[in-house]
Amino acid sequence: MKPKRPRKSARSKRPASKRPGHAQARAPRDPLLARMAGADHREIGGVSIDTTRAANGRVKRVCYPPGFRWSTHMKPLVNTPLCMHAHVGFLARGRVRGTYADGCAFDLTAPRAVVIEPGHDAWVVGKDTAVLIEFDTENSTAARFRLPDSHRHA
Ligand SMILES: [Zn+2]
């Protein structure tokens, strides 16, 4: 016979109103998607963006929903033929494929570090929200990470 272990659920017997975090009971339980402390939260083109200041740059959590495609959902809002952001960070969940203007392609599946140069289209593959944790310095991101201002070959 196995020795009895303490029940992990014991503290859930406390009344809900006495539990810490009660006010956020409706927030997602998934910590990767939960409300992010101190972040500026925005939604644009179906993409959820949480931004925090970090040192002299920013750390962002960007969630791209299943079915998202930059050229379909974001292009009409930003008025450039391709996404001109540099993305440097960590793809924590999901899969993202994309292409550059010259036909070069990328196919990124979490978990992995990512570097995407400006001048791309990209879309979510599969049924998982793609969650990208990225580091940027706003308009100077490409230069800061020594990336070209648009994808090209040396
Ligand atoms: Zn190329």
Side-chain angles (χ1 to χ4, degrees):
M1 196 172 152
K2 286 184 195 170
K4 282 194 176 174
R5 289 182 191 166
R7 289 283 200 103
K8 200 180 169 188
S9 61
R11 85 187 166 124
S12 68
K13 292 202 171 104
R14 289 160 65 186
S17 59
K18 299 267 172 66
R19 259 184 253 151
H22 174 62
Q24 288 182 38
R26 297 181 67 196
R29 288 167 185 276
D30 185 340
L32 188 57
L33 303 177
R35 221 165 65 98
M36 198 168 136
D40 171 66
H41 178 81
R42 293 202 308 149
E43 297 194 14
I44 177 169
V47 177
S48 134
I49 307 170
D50 287 278
T51 304
T52 56
R53 292 268 145 209
N56 65 345
R58 306 190 299 183
V59 173
K60 296 159 75 176
R61 178 183 63 189
V62 189
C63 300
Y64 302 91
F68 174 83
R69 187 180 185 105
W70 188 89
S71 53
T72 302
H73 302 102
M74 205 64 91
K75 182 178 171 178
L77 304 174
V78 303
N79 239 355
T80 54
L82 293 166
C83 176
M84 299 311 291
H85 285 116
H87 303 279
V88 176
F90 174 67
L91 184 63
R93 178 175 297 164
R95 182 177 173 197
V96 175
R97 297 184 68 186
T99 53
Y100 294 105
D102 66 356
C104 286
F106 51 88
D107 185 346
L108 307 165
T109 301
R112 63 162 296 157
V114 303
V115 176
I116 302 173
E117 296 175 346
H120 56 270
D121 188 16
W123 55 95
V124 173
V125 176
K127 58 180 172 44
D128 284 339
T129 291
V131 182
L132 179 64
I133 312 300
E134 62 179 335
F135 308 92
D136 81 15
T137 56
E138 302 180 67
N139 294 333
S140 60
T141 305
R144 179 65 60 95
F145 288 110
R146 303 266 167 91
L147 296 171
D149 54 9
S150 185
H151 171 80
R152 71 173 72 90
H153 299 269

